[in-house]
Amino acid sequence: MASTTNSPSTLLTLPSFSIQTSTFLPKTSQRSIFKKKKPFKFNSKRVVSCKASNGKQNDADTSFLNRFDRRDILLGLGGSLYGATSLVRDPFALAAPIAAPDLSHCAEATVRPTGGVQTTMGIDCCPPVSTTIIDFKPPSVCKIRYRQAAHSVDCRYLKKFEEALRLMRELDKDDPRSFMQQANVHCAYCNDAYPQTLFPSQPIQVHDSWLFFPFHRLYLYFFERILGKLINDPDFAIPYWNWDSPSGMSMPEIYVDCNSPLYDSKRDTSHLPPSLVNLYGSKDNDFSRERQIKCNLNLMYREMVRSKTPSLFFGKSYRAGCPPSPGQGSVEHGSHIAVHKWVGDKNQPYHEDMGNFYSAGRDPIFYAHHANVDRMWNIWKTLPGKKRRDIDDRDWLDSAFLFYDENKNLVRVKVRDCLDSRALGYDYQSVDIPWLGSKATPRRRGRAPRRRPPFGRAPGRAMAAEINNTIAFPIVLDKIVRFEVPRPKKSRTKIGKKDEEEEEEEEEEEVLVIENIQLDKDAPVKFDVCINDDDDEDDGKPVGPEDSEFVGSFTNLPHGHGQPGAKLTTTLTFSISDLLEELGIEGEDNIVVTLVPQEEVGLVSIGNVKIDYIRD
């Protein structure tokens, strides 16, 4: 596959400024805010790379542009955007958050049919432009609104909810509070309709990064406020679809009445109740209800319990001037995308509505789905572990979005404004969380996968593949591949008294990193990742979500924009510290990794696979 590497000139294609690429330094007039007695000196400790995670330097990044702090570049491009007063005191205090978009620069989104057909469809999902923007002020909270589980709402609530959505659907099409305009909010932010401020060649994308959770929380907040305003009920709260619990794993009945404003015709009709959602993927299987529930709970345990650090849960850092989609968090690449694909209608050319970013907001069930995703944020912070906290990087905290509120005001709101749902006036009805104790079971413990002769394997085995240690990356994933990956460090002992260095290392999370994943943005690619699996078990079944050896999956929800064949380049990271202990291989020098293509085989390439260590 062709590489989509961004050259320095890509980041500096600006309409109003000129910069000397030989020095990447501000013009003399723009450097006047620095102390004149001390000429500018490059400080290697201040490097902020687009490839860095949570503000940490990536030593492997040798791009010339990335050897300079983008904040210095932003200063040269007009640092007043970030406040000249603070720059006088500390020029390196410049922040580089993703700025709220300029609505007047919104462009038409272009979507291609899923499956690689070359015809395209233009989508106008740009909102009305307002000349007045107000900054968000937290609401005065006198009473908490509780979002209820959708499967348990009563007739009184349902009548109110249906009336609110009916009124929203009846608003004028140009009213920013109308249902279609609200649906288009997701399209604009998710199908690359907005260019980044100062970096117009780079789009704003709220998926595949640390912006995923805060954007969708704020999106639902304003959607909910508009519904409440329309029925004159400030205490109204939208429901959530708790697909993470057996009692809520079927599509909620309130959304399947074709005479209700909650209904959407573009859904997979084979997945209507009583079918259980498949959090592993969109493909149907022959699992019993008991096995499907077990698999779903095992997957939720992986996403929530094993992801102990902010970068694993929220996703990778995404800063001004950087390409989009650096890497998803655990929930985003897991249950979130699985539900989208499970609901979307595969008979539609773009898998509408839920199966494509551009149209997902057109299905009312989208908001119940994302309410449960948002609920995962609240739950994750209550789980044991001192690292389960919000990100403290100000580039995340100061990233901003624009939404229209219930009074048609265009509001600029930052990530820091939405860290506590109760401060926004809402919380979630409490229900059982059965996945907390649903750890998968190892198929083996402490045994290395068997190396069989090439002709010794049984035919038809889904996981049949030899260990290949001569594999040369990058590779096109057109078949199952298995290879050994060295571990830079072995596990630390947990017996006896640790010294400070050992204790510091114990806090590191060992992760499996799949780098430079490249595919077409509109390709519904999926592949699985396993560790120390054995495809020659007695039962002959491939490793699945109920097995500890199954690490997780990469799944792409189509969101093409721009020229046909536009590429997505991203990274996938899995926590494996607990997994290695469960498998009894924490002392091994190498682990065996298996990549199993599941959907759109041969349409994704992998740049590298490695073991790393993070300490958020």
Side-chain angles (χ1 to χ4, degrees):
M1 280 195 159
S3 173
T4 56
T5 304
N6 291 283
S7 65
S9 60
T10 300
L11 296 179
L12 298 170
T13 307
L14 300 168
S16 304
F17 300 96
S18 174
I19 197 164
Q20 297 298 320
T21 56
S22 61
T23 60
F24 290 104
L25 296 177
K27 295 180 180 179
T28 303
S29 60
Q30 294 164 332
R31 285 184 291 171
S32 60
I33 61 172
F34 291 94
K35 293 181 180 180
K36 294 183 178 180
K37 293 183 179 179
K38 294 183 179 181
F40 176 81
K41 291 180 64 178
F42 172 68
N43 187 334
S44 61
K45 295 182 180 180
R46 301 277 188 177
V47 172
V48 178
S49 166
C50 285
K51 296 183 180 180
S53 175
N54 294 331
K56 296 173 184 176
Q57 181 178 344
N58 186 340
D59 295 329
D61 180 19
T62 57
S63 165
F64 180 71
L65 175 62
N66 287 333
R67 280 179 284 167
F68 290 87
D69 196 326
R70 288 186 336 284
R71 295 161 179 163
D72 298 330
I73 297 172
L74 288 171
L75 175 64
L77 298 174
S80 58
L81 178 67
Y82 301 100
T85 303
S86 63
L87 298 184
V88 174
R89 294 190 297 270
D90 182 3
F92 292 105
L94 279 168
I98 298 295
D102 183 339
L103 299 189
S104 66
H105 291 167
C106 183
E108 185 180 72
T110 305
V111 185
R112 285 200 301 156
T114 297
V117 181
Q118 293 302 310
T119 56
T120 60
M121 175 176 64
I123 304 295
D124 181 7
C125 51
C126 295
V129 177
S130 174
T131 57
T132 303
I133 300 175
I134 63 175
D135 286 312
F136 178 78
K137 292 183 179 180
S140 298
V141 179
C142 299
K143 179 182 178 181
I144 298 295
R145 306 186 304 277
Y146 281 92
R147 295 177 176 174
Q148 303 176 59
H151 73 276
S152 65
V153 301
D154 58 27
C155 294
R156 183 180 177 184
Y157 173 86
L158 178 57
K159 183 178 179 180
K160 183 183 294 186
F161 185 24
E162 289 182 331
E163 175 65 8
L165 200 59
R166 181 185 65 79
L167 292 172
M168 180 182 273
R169 287 185 182 274
E170 292 177 352
L171 291 174
D172 184 84
K173 64 181 181 64
D174 294 325
D175 189 321
R177 305 169 302 160
S178 70
F179 184 75
M180 185 54 73
Q181 288 286 356
Q182 286 296 298
N184 283 344
V185 170
H186 195 260
C187 173
Y189 275 103
C190 308
N191 279 65
D192 306 345
Y194 294 130
Q196 290 186 30
T197 302
L198 292 181
F199 299 95
S201 64
Q202 297 292 355
I204 295 175
Q205 171 57 260
V206 295
H207 291 87
D208 307 335
S209 77
W210 66 7
L211 294 186
F212 171 75
F213 273 102
F215 167 80
H216 287 89
R217 169 168 286 186
L218 291 165
Y219 180 23
L220 266 61
Y221 169 80
F222 287 103
F223 179 82
E224 183 175 76
R225 298 273 293 199
I226 292 169
L227 291 175
K229 177 79 171 185
L230 291 173
I231 57 174
N232 196 29
D233 182 0
D235 296 328
F236 176 78
I238 60 175
Y240 68 95
W241 175 10
N242 63 320
W243 32 254
D244 62 301
S245 176
S247 60
M249 285 181 184
S250 293
M251 196 179 297
E253 294 281 354
I254 64 174
Y255 291 93
V256 300
D257 179 0
C258 62
N259 296 314
S260 169
L262 305 181
Y263 179 76
D264 185 78
S265 62
K266 295 179 180 179
R267 295 180 187 149
D268 190 327
T269 55
S270 68
H271 292 163
L272 298 178
S275 295
L276 296 180
V277 67
N278 180 7
L279 297 184
Y280 165 62
S282 58
K283 286 186 176 180
D284 294 327
N285 54 52
D286 58 356
F287 288 3
S288 65
R289 291 182 67 85
E290 292 74 19
R291 186 182 178 191
Q292 186 64 68
I293 290 172
K294 183 176 186 294
C295 285
N296 287 346
L297 297 179
N298 292 153
L299 287 162
M300 291 306 304
Y301 180 92
R302 286 181 177 88
E303 293 177 16
M304 296 291 290
V305 178
R306 281 190 179 158
S307 299
K308 300 176 183 178
T309 70
S311 63
L312 288 169
F313 180 73
F314 290 100
K316 292 189 176 298
S317 59
Y318 175 38
R319 309 176 195 272
C322 292
S325 305
Q328 301 171 335
S330 58
V331 172
E332 183 182 2
H333 69 64
S335 56
H336 158 252
I337 290 183
V339 174
H340 268 283
K341 298 187 74 172
W342 190 78
V343 175
D345 185 355
K346 297 172 187 61
N347 293 321
Q348 297 294 326
Y350 307 93
H351 290 191
E352 292 97 337
D353 276 326
M354 280 279 282
N356 198 299
F357 281 160
Y358 98 86
S359 57
R362 298 180 182 183
D363 188 338
I365 207 171
F366 166 90
Y367 304 93
H369 167 45
H370 266 279
N372 201 44
V373 172
D374 180 68
R375 173 173 161 261
M376 293 302 114
W377 184 357
N378 281 5
I379 293 173
W380 181 79
K381 290 195 290 186
T382 69
L383 300 180
K386 63 182 179 180
K387 298 179 183 178
R388 297 183 189 269
R389 60 184 184 276
D390 291 320
I391 299 167
D392 58 7
D393 189 313
R394 56 187 179 162
D395 282 358
W396 183 68
L397 295 169
D398 287 333
S399 291
F401 315 101
L402 293 177
F403 297 97
Y404 279 98
D405 69 8
E406 66 272 22
N407 298 312
K408 301 185 185 180
N409 296 315
L410 186 58
V411 182
R412 177 171 45 236
V413 57
K414 295 182 178 181
V415 169
R416 65 171 68 249
D417 296 321
C418 73
L419 304 184
D420 182 358
S421 71
R422 293 181 69 89
L424 293 175
Y426 76 89
D427 205 343
Y428 290 93
Q429 173 191 6
S430 179
V431 296
D432 291 338
I433 308 176
W435 46 260
L436 283 173
S438 297
K439 183 188 298 185
T441 305
R443 296 178 68 155
R444 90 189 58 73
R445 181 177 170 82
R447 284 196 293 117
R450 282 170 264 185
R451 291 169 169 79
R452 297 172 308 283
F455 304 104
R457 44 181 195 265
R461 290 285 171 83
M463 295 289 289
E466 299 299 328
I467 295 176
N468 179 5
N469 285 330
T470 63
I471 191 168
F473 289 99
I475 61 170
V476 174
L477 193 59
D478 55 2
K479 60 184 177 182
I480 300 171
V481 293
R482 306 177 82 217
F483 48 90
E484 290 186 331
V485 178
R487 296 175 65 205
K489 304 177 185 179
K490 292 184 181 180
S491 62
R492 278 75 59 188
T493 178
K494 292 187 176 182
I495 302 174
K497 186 177 180 181
K498 305 181 185 70
D499 59 26
E500 291 183 3
E501 183 178 350
E502 288 176 326
E503 193 164 324
E504 182 180 357
E505 285 188 342
E506 191 66 39
E507 293 180 356
E508 292 181 330
E509 193 72 14
E510 188 164 355
V511 295
L512 179 67
V513 184
I514 304 175
E515 296 182 305
N516 200 22
I517 303 169
Q518 293 194 359
L519 63 151
D520 288 354
K521 287 186 177 182
D522 55 8
V525 166
K526 178 180 180 186
F527 63 84
D528 293 339
V529 182
C530 304
I531 283 182
N532 278 51
D533 63 297
D534 193 334
D535 57 343
D536 200 23
E537 290 292 323
D538 293 337
D539 58 12
K541 294 189 300 185
V543 169
E546 65 266 52
D547 303 312
S548 293
E549 290 82 357
F550 177 85
V551 180
S553 302
F554 171 85
T555 310
N556 181 52
L557 195 69
H559 56 289
H561 174 61
Q563 297 299 318
K567 298 296 181 183
L568 168 68
T569 302
T570 191
T571 296
L572 190 63
T573 306
F574 296 106
S575 173
I576 61 171
S577 291
D578 291 348
L579 173 57
L580 297 180
E581 291 185 29
E582 291 170 23
L583 296 178
I585 56 174
E586 65 270 33
E588 296 292 323
D589 292 324
N590 304 286
I591 62 172
V592 176
V593 173
T594 305
L595 304 181
V596 187
Q598 295 285 3
E599 297 180 34
E600 301 296 328
V601 176
L603 295 187
V604 61
S605 67
I606 309 294
N608 189 36
V609 179
K610 68 177 184 179
I611 300 291
D612 206 347
Y613 301 86
I614 61 175
R615 187 168 60 246
D616 288 1

